[in-house]
């Protein structure tokens, strides 16, 4: 602020710190450190806010949603996008973005490929790309040398929770965000989390919903002892949020968010409590990049002890 650092006394705080992008050094790309290596968010800022093109000929590493959107955006601005290279065997972004941003503009998507080396002293001049095996290790003899003046990284987002950790808020190793209840409150009373700080969302709609929930619950917060029902997921899931539900259950419908660990077709989501199935729903398709939202009226279900999400094929 204009008055410098301020000290404010409050009984609640909402952590809306968002997320940060992984960098080239975090994915261990060999070579020099030339100008021209950007995260997708930085390239987006250059193009959309500063009105400056970050490249004339670029390679995109990773098929996250922002990277896919930037492939289309840069193409429309006259940049030559050589291709999008994804280390996994499936795209990391939404299916609609693969179709609308790559296929509609004839931008190649190379799965099971990664960038192995950078070339250039002051400015990036080229990169080496190679196929990877099932263990994601580059395969010798498959290297391709691609001249380019920019490498754009879309290799994942990490919830920004240094502030949460300084408050000794327990972090879920699956989501990399705080462990929260149905009110978006962490395990530290009065500390709430929302949006991409709580979990990385692929739709901004979900960011808004959790932010609205956290704000309302923070305003209503009263310190009192509560018991909670743990929520867990089988190994078929990357995670499920929230990770616990307070007792007594006061909310009607509770929003659960989850991601499958791998692509699944024609599966049944089964929610069990104390060994009994209390809810099930069929899904024609589940993909790790596409987070699912499920609203359940927990009060009307026979919930006791714990809740577990499982998949039946």
């Amino acid at each position: 602020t204009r008055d410098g650092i301020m000290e404010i006394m409050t009984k609640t705080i909402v952590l809306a710190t968002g997320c940060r992008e992984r960098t080239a050094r975090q994915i261990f790309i060999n070579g020099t450190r030339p100008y021209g290596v950007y995260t997708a968010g930085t390239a987006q800022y250059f193009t959309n806010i500063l009105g400056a093109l970050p490249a004339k000929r670029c390679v995109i590493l990773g098929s996250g949603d922002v990277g896919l959107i930037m492939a289309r955006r840069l193409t429309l601005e006259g940049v030559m996008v050589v291709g999008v290279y994804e280390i996994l065997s499936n795209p990391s972004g939404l299916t609609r973005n693969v179709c609308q941003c790559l296929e509609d503009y004839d931008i190649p998507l190379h799965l099971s490929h990664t960038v192995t080396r950078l070339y250039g002293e002051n400015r990036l001049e080229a990169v080496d790309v190679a196929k990877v095996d099932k263990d994601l290790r580059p395969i010798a003899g498959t290297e391709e040398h691609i001249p380019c003046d920019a490498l754009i990284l879309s290799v994942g987002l990490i919830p920004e929770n240094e502030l949460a950790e300084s408050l000794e808020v327990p972090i879920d190793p699956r989501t990399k965000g705080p462990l929260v209840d149905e009110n978006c409150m962490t395990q530290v009373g009065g500390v709430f989390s929302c949006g991409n700080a709580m979990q990385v969302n692929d739709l901004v709609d979900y960011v808004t919903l959790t932010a609205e929930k956290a704000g309302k619950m923070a305003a209503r917060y009263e310190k009192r002892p509560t018991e909670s029902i743990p929520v867990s997921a089988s190994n078929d899931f990357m995670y499920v949020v929230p990770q616990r539900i307070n007792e007594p259950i006061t909310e009607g419908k509770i929003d659960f968010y989850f991601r499958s660990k791998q692509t699944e077709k024609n599966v049944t989501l089964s929610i069990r409590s104390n060994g009994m199935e209390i809810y099930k729903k069929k899904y024609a398709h589940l993909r790790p990049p596409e987070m699912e939202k499920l609203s359940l009226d927990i009060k009307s279900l026979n919930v006791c002890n714990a809740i577990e999400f499982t998949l039946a094929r």
Side-chain angles (χ1 to χ4, degrees):
T1 68
R2 292 181 179 179
D3 298 326
I5 297 175
M6 298 178 64
E7 185 174 311
I8 300 174
M9 301 297 293
T10 179
K11 67 176 182 179
T12 60
I13 182 173
V14 178
L15 299 175
T17 48
C19 59
R20 52 190 164 87
E21 297 176 279
R22 284 192 175 90
T23 65
R25 295 299 145 184
Q26 288 177 291
I27 57 173
F28 307 107
I29 298 178
N30 296 320
T32 52
R33 301 184 65 178
Y35 179 68
V37 180
Y38 310 99
T39 62
T42 300
Q44 194 173 42
Y45 178 76
F46 267 97
T47 307
N48 295 346
I49 305 301
L50 300 182
L53 286 181
K56 294 181 179 177
R57 177 184 171 90
C58 75
V59 166
I60 297 179
L61 176 60
S63 58
D65 289 307
V66 180
L68 298 178
I69 291 168
M70 283 309 298
R72 177 180 62 184
R73 183 78 171 90
L74 292 171
T75 298
L76 290 171
E77 293 296 337
V79 176
M80 175 60 188
V81 179
V82 178
V84 175
Y85 296 84
E86 169 59 54
I87 194 171
L88 301 177
S89 58
N90 292 292
S92 299
L94 297 174
T95 301
R96 72 182 188 195
N97 283 334
V98 174
C99 296
Q100 295 173 3
C101 299
L102 299 187
E103 294 175 5
D104 289 356
Y105 291 85
D106 295 323
I107 300 171
L109 172 61
H110 304 273
L111 300 174
S112 299
H113 282 73
T114 191
V115 172
T116 56
R117 190 171 185 83
L118 309 180
Y119 295 89
E121 293 300 327
N122 296 321
R123 177 82 192 198
L124 183 68
E125 297 174 2
V127 298
D128 279 350
V129 174
K131 292 182 180 180
V132 298
D133 59 22
K134 62 180 181 180
D135 297 317
L136 306 183
R137 294 177 298 194
I139 301 173
T142 64
E143 297 86 357
E144 180 184 359
H145 189 74
I146 302 176
C148 60
D149 64 351
L151 173 64
I152 295 174
L153 304 173
S154 182
V155 289
L157 302 169
I158 305 171
E160 182 56 76
N161 279 301
E162 287 187 11
L163 183 57
E165 290 173 349
S166 73
L167 297 172
E168 298 184 353
V169 171
I171 301 297
D172 186 340
R174 292 192 182 192
T175 64
K176 304 295 189 294
L179 295 163
V180 296
D181 62 18
E182 76 276 16
N183 298 323
C184 298
M185 190 173 78
T186 70
Q187 291 187 346
V188 175
V191 179
F192 295 77
S193 181
C194 67
N196 286 335
M198 185 170 72
Q199 61 175 330
V200 175
N201 296 264
D202 40 75
L203 297 177
V204 72
D205 309 60
Y206 297 152
V207 174
T208 305
L209 286 172
T210 56
E212 183 179 17
K213 168 72 79 172
K216 286 182 178 179
M217 294 300 106
R220 300 174 186 172
Y221 173 71
E222 293 180 8
K223 186 176 181 180
R224 60 180 183 273
T226 58
E227 297 293 327
S228 61
I229 299 170
V231 179
S232 63
S234 69
N235 289 331
D236 294 318
F237 296 87
M238 292 176 66
Y239 62 78
V240 60
V241 173
Q243 293 90 347
R244 73 183 197 281
I245 299 170
N246 291 316
E247 285 190 306
I249 299 171
T250 57
E251 291 286 324
K253 286 192 174 182
I254 294 176
D255 292 335
F256 291 91
Y257 301 89
F258 66 88
R259 293 182 192 270
S260 62
K261 184 170 285 187
Q262 60 188 16
T263 299
E264 303 278 1
K265 293 183 179 180
N266 300 319
V267 292
T268 300
L269 168 67
S270 175
I271 300 179
R272 308 180 72 83
S273 180
N274 202 29
M276 301 292 292
E277 185 177 74
I278 59 174
Y279 179 86
K280 66 178 180 180
K281 181 180 179 180
K282 292 185 178 180
Y283 286 88
H285 204 74
L286 290 175
R287 292 184 64 236
E290 298 173 4
M291 188 170 71
E292 299 290 336
K293 175 175 173 286
L294 180 66
S295 296
L296 289 181
D297 188 352
I298 293 295
K299 289 185 69 174
S300 67
L301 300 176
N302 186 24
V303 174
C304 55
N305 297 329
I307 296 174
E308 184 184 18
F309 281 58
T310 61
L311 284 183
R313 296 172 180 81

